[in-house]
Amino acid sequence: MKNLIIFNLAKVFDLCKVILIILCTVSTLFTGEPNETDWRHWSSGSAYLLPAGRWEVGVFQSLRYGYSASLELSTHPLAFLVMPNFNVKWSHGCYRGFNLSTRHSGYYPTPLLRNIARKGTGGIISPEFHIPHLVSIYNEVLISKSIAKGHLFTGKAGFCLAIKSGKLDERTTIDLPLVFPRLNVFYQGYGFRGGCNVEGKLVSRWNYLADADLFYYPSGDEKIAFEHKGLLLWTKNQRFQLCFGYKLTYGEYPFGTQWHLLGPLFDLVWAWQKN
Amino acid sequence: MCSHKSIFLKQTFSSVMMILIFVTLNCDPLVERFEDVENAIWYAAKKQTTPPSNADTIMVMSWNIRFGIGRAPWFGDSCGDQVIYSEDEVLINLRGIADKINELQPDILLLQEVDVQSKKSGYVDELQWLLDHTYFNYGVYASYWQVQFVPSDGLGRINMGNAILSRWKISEAVRIPLPLRGDQDALTKYFYLRHNILKTKIDLPGVDNFYAVNVHIEAFSTDDTKKIQVDLFKDELDKLAGSGKAFVAGGDLNLLPPGSDSTDYCDEDKCPGESFHGPNDHPQHKEGSNYTPEMTWLQGLYDSYQCSVPLAEYLKDQRRYFTHTTNPNSFWDRKLDYLFTNYKWVPGSEVTHQDILDLSDHAPVSARWEVPK
């Protein structure tokens, strides 16, 4: 079992290396526009914060608000109806070209899980199980640095913790990509996440974003999950952006390991400035 | 009223979002559709045993093992509430099944309802487990329900199917698809079972061209799906017989022998709160419990091939050959499981193992087959 985990980790790290090499190559091939890019806009995954008073929201992405120069608030409005959630990003300034911030988030999935634990069509979890109150708290550090003109690299690492009001039966797992790695914390108690993003300008209004995230839960049988996303972004102006791309996932599930290629991803993002 | 509406909207929203995220974004097939004839999945026991090299008769057995949950009240077939069983619960039953197999010593075993990667049975690969805990050397598997995620009742991931276990090497194994139910809407049909015939060629010493064929016919259709499936099963056997090949065939046919006294089991199978046969009842019959319109559908098999329990024997003492019940607390009340051959069963060798009550909702059936010399 230990050998298998090491082998899987090695595979994931190899893949991370390949993705990183591709990202660096891409970022050097495209030199970008001479204008300095304002990373505070359209860049939710970096250490940069939205300017104070600016709002950004997507159909599937979070609603973000620049509260002040050092604080950004966000929530996922669609998910909020059934899974209350919040994010606070706090800027800690810039040191020798490295922009540093921390992100603190929490969500309460109990209403969502109770809604989908039912008989018949739409029953994602068997109704025989009781879902206790569950809260996940996640804290991470983000460090961003410009790696070439118009290209930004962000490294991130974090720790997540679950708080439960009672026992959560292991048979309630939702063994699907994207979902299982995020809910796994409630079965394992705690876990770690790390990863990186590279984003930058391609040509004209076109930008790219690529990221890689590793989930690690040391205490369970299903320890590792990996996600990589590639997006092309088309920015009409300071108020509208369109993006599409794909997501590649690998994970250890209760039934074994599996890769998934998910796509196409698609989103529309709007922004506005409140003075 | 408002709160009900709000709950309904929330539930609908949650489910739709979860399903949409997966269904629309996943490039892998959500449901394996098995539209063509294809090779079965091959298995081998971790430790091999030496099979008999010279046998005058071999024992053939068919058993629907109900994915290792014994007589537990599963929501899908016995008015139960439980959907998902733990690995420990399943392993206890599999241990019992393996013990019985080791005691009875069949040489060829036809299994139905074998889970190899299903959430409902703790993701136990039951075929591999049985191979590793019995004396069988080889196994083949043909799935009839392979879905990455069934978004209903918490079923989740499912991979269930037919299997054949053999002491001797299996040299060919194909999965032949059977038509889907004709009485379901498109969405239900998409996620539903896709039955098959598992046809294998087994290297039985001294016999050229020996085949074992396993089938699980649809249980709950209310149209002529069962007839179409049984006719296709017979067509496959006819092809083997027509080309001079010897076969043993069987499985869970979900049909009663022609001439059975009881043909309507709606009362026996109904769950609390259900009512059938009344003037205001709709439907009039419980799905899968009224065999009355289907009573002649096995006649062709009986006419063409030797059943391990000849029809005349069955009609003399029907209760002795019953193999199934839906009620976890009842004794067997109907015969659904069969063995056929185009050669010879050893007279009097048939056993309906009615004493095995707690390991499945089906009793295994076995008989000794005379090896042609």
Side-chain angles (χ1 to χ4, degrees):
Chain A
M1 186 63 185
K2 196 175 175 187
N3 285 342
L4 187 69
I5 290 162
I6 291 166
F7 173 71
N8 288 335
L9 264 176
K11 273 203 300 189
V12 170
F13 285 135
D14 282 350
L15 189 73
C16 289
K17 274 195 289 188
V18 171
I19 289 167
L20 206 58
I21 290 164
I22 293 169
L23 296 178
C24 291
T25 311
V26 167
S27 62
T28 51
L29 282 175
F30 297 93
T31 52
E33 295 291 303
N35 295 342
E36 191 67 30
T37 309
D38 189 347
W39 295 114
R40 297 175 304 164
H41 296 175
W42 315 113
S43 185
S44 62
S46 76
Y48 287 86
L49 273 61
L50 283 176
R54 180 174 166 92
W55 294 80
E56 286 184 7
V57 64
V59 176
F60 298 107
Q61 288 180 34
S62 300
L63 170 67
R64 300 163 59 219
Y65 173 61
Y67 181 77
S68 69
S70 62
L71 211 59
E72 177 190 300
L73 307 175
S74 64
T75 185
H76 203 296
L78 278 177
F80 198 90
L81 291 169
V82 287
M83 186 171 68
N85 63 94
F86 74 93
N87 270 279
V88 176
K89 192 152 76 175
W90 180 15
S91 174
H92 299 281
C94 189
Y95 307 95
R96 297 184 179 181
F98 289 90
N99 206 294
L100 174 70
S101 65
T102 54
R103 183 154 51 189
H104 312 277
S105 55
Y107 64 96
Y108 172 62
T110 305
L112 171 67
L113 298 180
R114 286 182 178 172
N115 277 330
I116 60 176
R118 58 192 158 110
K119 289 183 180 176
T121 305
I124 307 292
I125 297 170
S126 172
E128 73 204 81
F129 302 114
H130 169 69
I131 308 292
H133 293 286
L134 306 166
V135 174
S136 168
I137 294 166
Y138 179 60
N139 298 292
E140 75 177 344
V141 178
L142 300 111
I143 299 172
S144 293
K145 179 166 173 53
S146 183
I147 49 173
K149 194 174 271 183
H151 302 274
L152 183 74
F153 176 86
T154 301
K156 54 195 173 181
F159 173 75
C160 51
L161 187 70
I163 301 165
K164 296 183 275 189
S165 70
K167 186 178 179 336
L168 181 62
D169 195 298
E170 289 189 355
R171 289 170 288 171
T172 57
T173 57
I174 300 171
D175 306 332
L176 291 173
L178 309 182
V179 182
F180 183 81
R182 283 163 182 77
L183 295 182
N184 200 11
V185 67
F186 296 112
Y187 303 92
Q188 312 302 342
Y190 67 97
F192 302 93
R193 274 172 76 170
C196 62
N197 304 348
V198 179
E199 58 196 293
K201 197 148 196 159
L202 291 173
V203 284
S204 181
R205 297 171 186 272
W206 290 91
N207 285 50
Y208 71 90
L209 165 71
D211 70 9
D213 287 293
L214 187 68
F215 298 71
Y216 180 59
Y217 296 99
S219 60
D221 289 335
E222 296 82 29
K223 294 182 188 301
I224 293 168
F226 168 78
E227 293 175 1
H228 157 64
K229 180 174 71 203
L231 288 178
L232 273 176
L233 308 116
W234 180 77
T235 308
K236 186 186 177 196
N237 51 38
Q238 289 296 314
R239 300 185 62 180
F240 180 73
Q241 189 181 61
L242 187 150
C243 59
F244 59 93
Y246 66 92
K247 191 142 192 163
L248 179 70
T249 72
Y250 166 82
E252 293 176 355
Y253 300 92
F255 56 82
T257 60
Q258 194 168 30
W259 289 91
H260 285 91
L261 179 61
L262 308 170
L265 305 180
F266 179 79
D267 205 0
L268 307 168
V269 190
W270 294 268
W272 64 98
Q273 180 75 39
K274 186 184 165 193
N275 292 318
Chain B
M1 194 66 185
C2 273
S3 75
H4 277 99
K5 194 174 176 184
S6 159
I7 289 165
F8 172 76
L9 283 173
K10 278 183 181 178
Q11 287 184 339
T12 306
F13 170 77
S14 321
S15 309
V16 167
M17 285 304 288
M18 294 286 289
I19 296 163
L20 273 182
I21 284 168
F22 193 67
V23 173
T24 62
L25 301 184
N26 192 2
C27 294
D28 297 326
L30 182 60
V31 176
E32 192 62 61
R33 297 173 73 176
F34 304 111
E35 282 166 343
D36 301 313
V37 175
E38 56 188 73
N39 287 329
I41 313 290
W42 298 73
Y43 280 72
K46 279 181 191 155
K47 284 184 185 170
Q48 298 279 303
T49 58
T50 308
S53 58
N54 181 11
D56 293 330
T57 64
I58 60 168
M59 184 179 174
V60 182
M61 188 161 96
S62 175
W63 197 357
N64 178 327
I65 61 167
R66 203 186 180 216
F67 51 95
I69 62 161
R71 297 290 291 273
W74 194 54
F75 88 106
D77 62 4
S78 58
C79 307
D81 288 326
Q82 196 168 349
V83 179
I84 309 293
Y85 291 82
S86 69
E87 184 181 351
D88 289 345
E89 287 171 307
V90 169
L91 289 180
I92 288 169
N93 286 300
L94 284 183
R95 180 79 263 169
I97 290 167
D99 288 348
K100 275 293 166 194
I101 292 169
N102 288 327
E103 178 191 323
L104 298 170
Q105 294 276 308
D107 298 295
I108 291 169
L109 179 59
L110 316 178
L111 296 178
Q112 303 86 43
E113 292 196 23
V114 180
D115 271 353
V116 297
Q117 202 179 64
S118 300
K119 188 174 185 69
K120 64 185 163 71
S121 52
Y123 290 121
V124 177
D125 186 338
E126 297 178 347
L127 178 51
Q128 188 64 57
W129 196 95
L130 286 172
L131 278 170
D132 294 340
H133 292 81
T134 59
Y135 50 84
F136 283 107
N137 291 321
Y138 304 100
V140 287
Y141 174 77
S143 177
Y144 52 70
W145 202 9
Q146 187 174 343
V147 185
Q148 287 202 46
F149 200 89
V150 180
S152 178
D153 300 282
L155 276 169
R157 191 182 188 86
I158 286 184
N159 193 344
M160 181 169 84
N162 294 323
I164 296 179
L165 287 78
S166 167
R167 290 180 188 264
W168 301 280
K169 198 170 175 188
I170 298 170
S171 52
E172 289 172 22
V174 290
R175 180 197 188 282
I176 301 162
L178 290 171
L180 308 185
R181 275 179 73 168
D183 56 349
Q184 291 177 318
D185 63 82
L187 183 65
T188 309
K189 190 188 283 192
Y190 181 72
F191 283 101
Y192 196 70
L193 286 72
R194 292 159 194 269
H195 287 285
N196 65 69
I197 299 165
L198 175 56
K199 185 172 82 173
T200 60
K201 184 179 179 188
I202 295 175
D203 294 345
L204 182 62
V207 186
D208 289 335
N209 294 319
F210 171 66
Y211 284 78
V213 188
N214 187 10
V215 74
H216 187 184
I217 298 294
E218 170 54 40
F220 300 105
S221 57
T222 52
D223 60 356
D224 60 350
T225 302
K226 286 189 198 183
K227 178 168 175 23
I228 296 167
Q229 292 184 349
V230 165
D231 288 349
L232 283 169
F233 176 57
K234 183 174 174 294
D235 287 349
E236 281 302 319
L237 301 184
D238 290 347
K239 281 185 216 164
L240 290 173
S243 55
K245 289 155 183 161
F247 68 77
V248 292
D252 176 357
L253 302 189
N254 274 313
L255 287 165
L256 302 180
S260 294
D261 290 338
S262 295
T263 62
D264 187 330
Y265 288 82
C266 295
D267 286 337
E268 288 85 344
D269 295 351
K270 71 181 177 190
C271 301
E274 287 183 337
S275 173
F276 301 101
H277 304 156
N280 298 320
D281 291 335
H282 183 77
Q284 276 288 296
H285 300 283
K286 187 177 173 82
E287 265 194 7
S289 297
N290 178 30
Y291 303 90
T292 310
E294 307 166 352
M295 289 311 297
T296 58
W297 293 357
L298 284 184
Q299 192 63 54
L301 274 174
Y302 274 105
D303 291 344
S304 301
Y305 302 111
Q306 265 202 50
C307 185
S308 61
V309 181
L311 192 53
E313 292 296 315
Y314 166 77
L315 292 174
K316 271 192 246 170
D317 185 2
Q318 297 182 24
R319 292 178 60 85
R320 183 180 158 196
Y321 301 104
F322 286 163
T323 64
H324 175 66
T325 175
T326 59
N327 188 331
N329 304 309
S330 292
F331 195 69
W332 314 113
D333 59 16
R334 72 202 81 170
K335 177 172 173 64
L336 300 180
D337 302 86
Y338 301 84
L339 289 170
F340 289 94
T341 182
N342 63 341
Y343 193 59
K344 288 180 194 165
W345 298 112
V346 175
S349 67
E350 195 283 338
V351 182
T352 301
H353 299 270
Q354 293 186 326
D355 56 314
I356 306 173
L357 266 170
D358 55 343
L359 296 175
S360 171
D361 59 356
H362 286 255
V365 292
S366 69
R368 295 205 77 84
W369 187 74
E370 198 173 304
V371 177
K373 295 291 179 191

